[in-house]
Amino acid sequence: MPAISIIQPAAFDRTVFFVSDGTGITAEAFGHAVLTQFNLRFKQVRLPFIDDLDKAHYAAAKINETFEQEGMPPIIFSTLVKEDLSQIIRNTKCMYMDLIQTFVGPLEQELGIKSTHTIGRGQDIANSEAYKNRIEAINFSLIHDDGQSHKNLSSADVILVGVSRSGKTPTSLFLAMQYGIKSANYPLIPEDFERGKMPSALLKYKSKIFGLSITPERLCVIRNERLPGSKYAALENCRFEVNEAEAMMKREGIHWLSSTTKSIEEISSTILQELKLEKRVY
Amino acid sequence: MPAISIIQPAAFDRTVFFVSDGTGITAEAFGHAVLTQFNLRFKQVRLPFIDDLDKAHYAAAKINETFEQEGMPPIIFSTLVKEDLSQIIRNTKCMYMDLIQTFVGPLEQELGIKSTHTIGRGQDIANSEAYKNRIEAINFSLIHDDGQSHKNLSSADVILVGVSRSGKTPTSLFLAMQYGIKSANYPLIPEDFERGKMPSALLKYKSKIFGLSITPERLCVIRNERLPGSKYAALENCRFEVNEAEAMMKREGIHWLSSTTKSIEEISSTILQELKLEKRVY
């Protein structure tokens, strides 16, 4: 039977379940989008891989148990595709928020065709073209991390630049994982500032370059975690490097963003938009 | 004005827009969950950061333009939180699928409180605790990649083992990014097979270990991309290593999965469930 994975605040107002016949990632995203509109604390329980009757009954038992214990119907966010399984969950003492049934029915009307009710049509099934692209993009990002490789820069969709510890690696990995985008990343270092120019290997790829910056204070904290008390981490040095890097990016006409105030999702989404990536024809 | 990011098949049946006041990641996940139930080809257009009236009007113009050009209402998957912006999009020639309005209203009733209608309450706002945990987890995974570091294994939430190129790195990065899970990963190498035992540094962490395997044929293809014609990549050798690794994992009583047939999302979700990770109290 499925093991339950739980996020439980010390005190909470209501229990929510994310129920899926797959990984539960979409159910969770769906649930969070709705729940963050409420200033309440939620105990969150994941129930992925609910793909047969036995598991559906097990999930239903857990939901009813919660109702018995807490005296309030838990909120269920479901992406279950099979109607028989969905019905079992719907029939519990819960408030059922069904992503699929709510929208698929009306869409059948609009599109003039029936839906397939097929489990496992998730975006990235192992071995699909899209999935292989993502794995390839992750590998590309890792090989081209931190200026390690000058090879194949022409294959990169984007080249991230910024001072050391400005968030290039997490951003390039997120771009790879979420969008299958191949990114190389390059540190801007004191030698570049002395020369007053971007690293030469990058000059012919300028239209692909996106810069990341960070506040000197935040950079100082991060660098001190890595090399405490070093000159590298000193606030003066951080200010110097950040100012030089930002001035250089402005001079070179490169788009850039601060990773201090934007999450890697926001930065990645912005990069896609600004560099007009992914106008793919397939 | 927002730049548009498009995925366009050579021929398509309908255009869909993912409209969001944030990154659009949830709108896209929501849309895909519904659209994959239909055997049609969709042109997909992202419209993130629609967070003021000007941008909403711009988005509406794009949508109406599409209707004019194609003669069919595009399908809109929206996670817009502000009613005034949502209304502008709703009033276009489209089929409007609204994640927020559909579910937030009923939830207000059930929970007995009003929703906040606040933009930017996404799960991982830069500088939130959860966000910092994810970045820390990504860094942990990178430092502990491929057996590079024995330090801090006690801080790892999970330790992935498997032959070289069985998918450990992408999986550990996904665990970090999606769930903030810290994972170390270790290759199982011929020396371990000769000894017949797991690497000694790992023995006291057995309950945290999860194994990845892969079919020898797939491994051979992947290894040949890296080191073509090598003994490392030869099918015989791949068969040997995979058989030894699987036998060892069974002997040691370690959970494991094949990364050939499961996506990193499925593997990660399974790891969370099987190792009962993330029963966090905060």
Side-chain angles (χ1 to χ4, degrees), chain A residues 2-11 14 22-26 28-30 32-40 42 44 46-49 73 75 77 79 81 95 97-100 102-104 106-108 110-111 113-119 121-127 131-132 134-135 138-139 142-143 165 169-170 173-174 177-179 218 226 259-266 269-270 272-274 276-282, chain B residues 2-11 14 22-26 28-30 32-40 42 44 46-49 73 75 77 79 81 95 97-100 102-104 106-108 110-111 113-119 121-127 131-132 134-135 138-139 142-143 165 169-170 173-174 177-179 218 226 259-266 269-270 272-274 276-282:
Chain A
I4 297 193
S5 153
I6 301 173
I7 299 176
Q8 184 165 329
R14 191 70 70 109
T23 61
I25 289 171
T26 300
E28 214 174 321
F30 159 35
H32 282 135
V34 175
L35 294 174
T36 51
Q37 292 301 305
F38 296 89
N39 279 332
L40 292 175
F42 296 99
Q44 305 174 43
R46 290 195 187 105
L47 289 172
F49 307 123
I75 318 293
F77 292 94
T79 54
V81 158
M95 183 181 190
M97 322 234 88
D98 181 338
L99 191 76
I100 300 297
T102 304
F103 294 108
V104 166
L107 209 44
E108 284 178 328
E110 171 62 32
L111 297 172
I113 72 172
K114 284 292 179 199
S115 61
T116 61
H117 294 287
T118 316
I119 285 179
R121 301 298 294 277
Q123 195 179 348
D124 286 308
I125 311 154
N127 296 331
Y131 183 69
K132 285 175 179 158
R134 286 169 70 206
I135 301 295
I138 293 167
N139 288 325
L142 290 170
I143 291 164
R165 312 301 275 140
T169 300
L173 291 171
F174 186 81
M177 277 204 214
Q178 181 72 17
Y179 301 112
R218 177 88 194 116
R226 183 168 270 195
S259 65
T260 312
T261 49
K262 299 282 177 197
S263 65
I264 48 181
E265 286 93 343
E266 288 169 304
S269 207
T270 305
L272 280 192
Q273 299 299 99
E274 293 208 9
K276 297 188 179 26
L277 286 174
E278 219 185 14
K279 197 179 157 73
R280 282 200 309 253
V281 177
Y282 59 90
Chain B
I4 298 191
S5 155
I6 301 173
I7 299 176
Q8 183 166 327
R14 190 69 71 109
T23 61
I25 288 170
T26 300
E28 215 174 320
F30 158 35
H32 282 137
V34 175
L35 295 174
T36 52
Q37 293 302 305
F38 296 89
N39 280 332
L40 292 175
F42 297 99
Q44 305 174 44
R46 289 192 188 107
L47 288 173
F49 306 124
I75 319 292
F77 292 94
T79 54
V81 157
M95 184 181 189
M97 321 233 89
D98 182 338
L99 191 75
I100 300 297
T102 304
F103 295 109
V104 165
L107 210 43
E108 284 178 329
E110 171 62 32
L111 297 172
I113 71 171
K114 284 293 179 200
S115 61
T116 62
H117 293 288
T118 316
I119 286 179
R121 298 299 293 277
Q123 195 178 351
D124 287 306
I125 311 154
N127 296 330
Y131 183 69
K132 285 178 180 158
R134 288 168 69 206
I135 301 294
I138 293 167
N139 288 325
L142 291 170
I143 290 164
R165 312 300 274 139
T169 300
L173 291 171
F174 186 82
M177 276 202 215
Q178 181 74 17
Y179 300 113
R218 178 88 196 116
R226 185 168 268 197
S259 66
T260 312
T261 50
K262 299 281 178 199
S263 65
I264 48 179
E265 286 93 342
E266 288 170 304
S269 209
T270 305
L272 279 191
Q273 298 299 99
E274 293 208 6
K276 294 184 181 26
L277 286 174
E278 218 186 13
K279 197 177 157 76
R280 283 200 310 252
V281 177
Y282 61 87

Side-chain angles (χ1 to χ4, degrees), chain B residues 55-94:
Chain B
K55 290 174 194 148
H57 286 300
Y58 171 84
K62 285 286 159 199
I63 291 165
N64 282 330
E65 203 177 284
T66 299
F67 173 74
E68 294 305 318
Q69 286 166 357
E70 296 174 10
M72 292 179 299
I75 319 292
I76 314 300
F77 292 94
S78 162
T79 54
L80 292 174
V81 157
K82 297 257 179 229
E83 282 176 18
D84 55 350
L85 304 186
S86 189
Q87 201 59 27
I88 290 167
I89 308 298
R90 187 184 292 279
N91 286 340
T92 60
K93 305 280 202 300
C94 77

